[in-house]
Structures are given as C-alpha cells and as structure tokens.
Amino acid sequence: MARSGVRGEGARPRVRQADDLGWDDSLYDEHGNPTDGGGASGGGGGDATSESSGSTGRGSGTTRTDGGSTGKGDGSADGGRGAGHDGRPVGKDGDDASAEPRGQGRHGGGGGSRRGNGDGGHPRRRRRILRWSASVLALLILGTAGAGYLYYQHLNANIKKDDLNLGDEKDRAAKSKANAAGQTPLNILLIGSDARDTKENQALGGAKETFGGTPLADVQMLLHLSADRSNMSVISMPRDTLLKMPKCTDPDTKKVYPATVGLVMTNTSLGRGGPGCTVATWEKLTKIHIDHFMKIDFSGVVSMADAIGGVPVCVDANVYSKDSQGHGSGLKLKKGTTPVKGTQALAWLRTRYGFEDNTDIGRTKAQHQYMNSMVRQLRKNATISNPGKLRSLAETATKALTVDKGLGSVLKLYDLGNELKKVEPKRITMTTMPWQWAVSDSNRVEPKPVEAEQLFRLVREDIALDGKDKKKTATAVKASTDPAAADDQIGVTVQNGTRTAALGPVRGRAGTVTQLLTGKGFTKAAADTSTATAEETTVIRYPSADLQGDAQAVAKALGIPLSAVKKSTDVSGVTLVVGADWREGTAYKAKTQDNTTPESADVLNGAKADACMHVNKDYTWS
C-alpha cells in the first residue's frame, strides 16, 4: 500500500465517508438531515462529485458511499528538514547554504466524530454526537482544548495511515503495564518530516536539488500520557543524534534495511521504510513501548498554524535568522512576544541560526516553547462557535497528518484527544534527551549514557517528570516461568561497567566478580576483559525468553534484585555488567533509585508563559 508523501509515490485510493457536515442541532431536522439545503461540494448530501483540495499533496481514487456522494481525498503529511544523508555538516559549524538546515516541521491535530448512518438515521445519536466538544488541533497533538460542535464523517477519508512498527519482533519493547486501577499509559511518537514531495513542500523547504528525495525525520518527540491521566511528559531527540538503528522492512516493497553496524543520524530512520522504522528505532534505544505515531510535513505545519490563528512566541532581542552564507530560516521578529502563523510559524520551528549557540539544541527549545504556547492559546480560546472556523480546523487537521493504522479514524483520534485533554498545562513537562558531543563527530551528539537512561526509565515506569507524583510502590518482578538450568551449566559473561564520567573503571573488577560467581557454583562464568563500559547500576541482560530463568538465577545468587534483569538483543547470552554502584566488595547493595528528572534534560513546564528564546548576538538587527 503506497504512502503519500513518504517517497513521492502516488497516494492510495481513499473511501469517502458520508458527507453530512453539522455544527449545531438547529441545522438538522428531526431525521438528522441538513435544514440549510445540504451541500454538494465536499460537504452535504446529493449525488455530486467533490474534490477536497488541501495544501499537502494529492490523494487519488473515488468511492461512492451511502449518500451517493463521490469525493477525492487529499493530503500528505510529514514536517522538518535536515542534512546528514548527503554529507553536508549539520552540527555546531556548518549547514546547507541553500536553505535553513531544514530542521523541524511541526505536529498537527485533528477533530473527532462518531460514525453516523449515511441515510440520516438515528437522529438522537446524531444530535448527541454533535454535542461532543473538542478543539481539532488539540485532539491530535495535546488534546487540551474543548468546545465546538463537530460532525465530520468524511474526515476519515482525509486521514492517511501507515504501519506502526517496521522492526523485528525481538527489537520491540514490552507493552506498558497497567497500574493498580487497571489503567495503562500511552506513548505517542510525533514525527516531523522534511519531504519535498509536492510543489508546496518544495517551495517551503527550499533546496531544490532534494525534490522527491528520501525524507528525513527531523523532528522526533515522544509524548507520554500517564496511566492515571494526571500528567504528560515529552522527550525530544535532537536531529543531530547518532545511534544504531534496528533492522526494518518496508511494508510496500518488502525491501529489508539491515540493522546498522555503526552509528548513523537518527533522522535517516524515516527513509528506511517509513515512520514505522522511526518508531522501531525509538523502541530499541529507550525500551519504551510506543502505542501510536503522528507525522506531519512543511505544508501541514503552515496550514495548521493558519487554522489556529497564531501562536505567541518570545525572543529576548530582535532576531533575523539569515547570514551572508545563506544560513538561516529567514525568521525576522522584534524583541518581545509576537503571534506567529503560516510560514512565519514554520520559520520559527525551523530556526537554528539565531537561537542560543546556533545548534539543533536551541531549535528544540524553541519548539518546546511553541508547543506550550499553542496549548495555552487553545485553552484560552476553547469555545469556538463559528461553523466555518470549525470546519476549516477539522479539514486542515485531518489532511495534515499521517498516523498509524490503530489511530486511523476520526473516532479513534477523538477518543485519544479526550484522554490527552485531561492534563492541565502545569502538569505538562517538556524535556530534551540528555546528550553529549559525539566522540566520532564533533558536529553531532549522542545520548548521555547514565542521564538519558534515567529519563527513559522514568517514562517506562510512568513516573511524572515534574516530580509531583504521589509516591509509587515498586511493582514486584515475577520469577520466570521457564526453569533455570543447573548453576554449573549456565554460561555467564561478566563485563566491567564501573567507569563513570568522573572516575575511571576499577581494574580487574570483571575478574573479581567472575571468581565470586564460580565460587557459588557458576563454573561457566567468564570475564570479558576486552573493554570497560559505563553502567550506572549493575544489570544482568539476556537475549531471549528461554534464558530469563538462567539470568534470574545469577541475580539471586549475587543478591541482585530481579528488577535489574533485563531482556536485550544487544547480548548473545546471559551477561552481567558490574556497574558503578558495585565498584568494590563482594556483597552487592542495591542503590536507592533516583526518580528525579536529570538537570541535563532542560525541563520546561507547560504553564511557563514568560519563556523567551535567547537570541544569538550574531543574528540581531536594529
């Protein structure tokens, strides 16, 4: 099934749903039919042909539906641009001189409805549906605004869908566990693509030589909604992050992209079969199960910003993002707060030259400020009674997005929005993955081992990043149902992970713990003396379910808690990594877990209305 806007291929046919559009009970008679005469162009009933023409690419195919209407879907979705696939520098120093480093697209939103009958039946149900409230953009991104009467059956035809995860089953993270009340958290990956797959996207993105090229996932944000729906956490991964990617298989062409041996730019994941490979890459890195994704492109960002009516942003000095070499987004703002929309909003989200140190890190902060401001703006103007504005928001939002198949209907998007909008801005926490400059490339970054893992663990364990959670009781880890082999038949590799940022590794530590194990009957234990790694806490890893019992047996013998036994495809057998919490002695003492958000995550609270971007002195004007 071809994906519109992913590789410039033709869009797949979409089924046009019943085209009744409703805004208020007064617009319908007792049978649920429009009292204003309906409409034959993309909206009301009748035996008309309509084309819903948006700004994000063309869909193809027509299908007749209940009311006799025929329509053509329209849309594409991605957002953001970067380098990294063509050798142009992207980090601290240079970038493509032909355009702003094609950074970040944005994430759009949509509206909700339940499916009614195309023949106008069930008037009570129809009127009940019409009374549902939801601000379209907020439903799809942060679900924080309400009010407005929406009934948009045909919006389902606008929504583009793709596979959720293209990785191998062995690389996928375990699903989130339910809390004591039976509630489970939700993890949604927001992706901005830089695709130049339409004339409009090309005009907005620049760099003419890249038209129709492989898209890059230049914006990646993981949105975590807590199980009890009391708080929300967002983790951004800088576009310039280097990491290893898992094997991915394109669902359309069946082309297999092997797992990478070395480190590659995180934004290239989108070109390895689609957004499902970006999801697989996140799961491999973070061990966080991702439930859904949403993807948007340049034109989607512009159309959604216009539909919202402007998002207030702030700079601490006059800024003009453009230099003599052509670097910059072209953003030009006066000091203070300015509402941005359309192409100006896109420029804000893509600006890198002009903010802070001119790197992708500053751009990420600007995106966080924009998202928080957008949420507050939507809540401030939550009551929208103008039918035309509501219709524009709904049309724009559903055309702007590509989502996974599990989220591919207005009803499902609406239900998700209802969950998301329960969170107040003061309980929304924006963060950036803790990073450090890459050893292999000073223009790139890589996850900061200890602190990035701490942030990922907090999300995995559904611990609020704002520190306002009620104290949670640790969930006991169940013993493996697969019996362990005899101690002397269990092969164990012992590695030295005692190195820290401040301290070198303890020499011979792997050998010391290996002797301890052999003395306890694990005679096949062997020290790996090839390298010393950095592991904050001692961990035992195993590659497959049939070795879980063996790994837990090793843990019990050494007094290591079962919570430290982890499944991982990075090892080929049971592997004990002696961490920085066990640098000496033969008795392991579990360290009290630190559940605070690392300072390096650069936290921004959703209610902070006075946030202002620092302007680089080389990009000011008077």
Side-chain angles (χ1 to χ4, degrees), residues 68-225:
S69 297
T70 304
K72 293 184 180 179
D74 182 309
S76 166
D78 305 299
R81 179 66 184 174
H85 65 302
D86 54 4
R88 289 192 293 272
V90 191
K92 292 181 289 187
D93 300 321
D95 214 315
D96 177 15
S98 64
E100 158 65 11
R102 305 194 297 282
Q104 317 301 49
R106 203 59 204 147
H107 311 286
S113 80
R114 288 195 183 274
R115 296 175 181 173
N117 289 348
D119 59 3
H122 303 293
R124 292 181 183 175
R125 181 167 177 258
R126 184 184 300 276
R127 284 193 289 271
R128 184 174 70 249
I129 292 169
L130 288 172
R131 285 192 289 269
W132 288 358
S133 66
S135 170
V136 178
L137 178 68
L139 294 183
L140 296 189
I141 296 186
L142 295 175
T144 54
Y149 298 103
L150 296 178
Y151 178 60
Y152 256 133
Q153 289 243 25
H154 81 289
L155 293 181
N156 284 323
N158 289 344
I159 302 169
K160 294 167 292 298
K161 297 175 280 291
D162 217 325
D163 288 1
L164 174 61
N165 193 316
L166 305 184
D168 280 356
E169 191 67 36
K170 65 182 180 65
D171 290 326
R172 297 181 183 179
K175 290 187 177 181
S176 304
K177 296 179 180 179
N179 61 15
Q183 303 165 301
T184 54
L186 276 173
N187 296 305
I188 304 161
L189 187 63
L190 308 178
I191 304 170
S193 163
D194 74 340
R196 267 76 164 177
D197 54 352
T198 66
K199 289 182 179 180
E200 185 173 6
N201 278 333
Q202 183 66 66
L204 292 168
K208 295 180 180 179
E209 73 280 2
T210 63
F211 183 80
T214 303
L216 300 172
D218 279 346
V219 181
Q220 298 176 40
M221 294 185 181
L222 180 64
L223 186 156
H224 172 81
L225 178 64

Side-chain angles (χ1 to χ4, degrees), residues 7 246-250 253 255-260 271-274 277:
R7 292 185 298 277
K247 171 185 174 183
C248 289
T249 303
D250 189 307
T253 66
K255 179 178 179 179
V256 176
Y257 296 85
T260 62
R272 293 165 54 86
C277 192

Side-chain angles (χ1 to χ4, degrees), residues 562-595:
L562 294 186
S563 59
V565 178
K566 310 286 185 181
K567 184 179 179 181
S568 171
T569 56
D570 292 333
V571 297
S572 57
V574 176
T575 303
L576 165 62
V577 185
V578 183
D581 62 340
W582 197 13
R583 289 176 62 88
E584 60 184 11
T586 56
Y588 178 75
K589 295 180 180 179
K591 179 182 176 182
T592 302
Q593 263 187 344
D594 179 7
N595 287 339

Side-chain angles (χ1 to χ4, degrees), residues 89-93 240 242 265 436-446:
V90 191
K92 292 181 289 187
D93 300 321
D240 295 340
L242 294 177
M265 284 272 285
Q436 60 190 20
W437 293 112
V439 175
S440 59
D441 187 341
S442 61
N443 287 329
R444 305 284 186 258
V445 301
E446 58 189 13

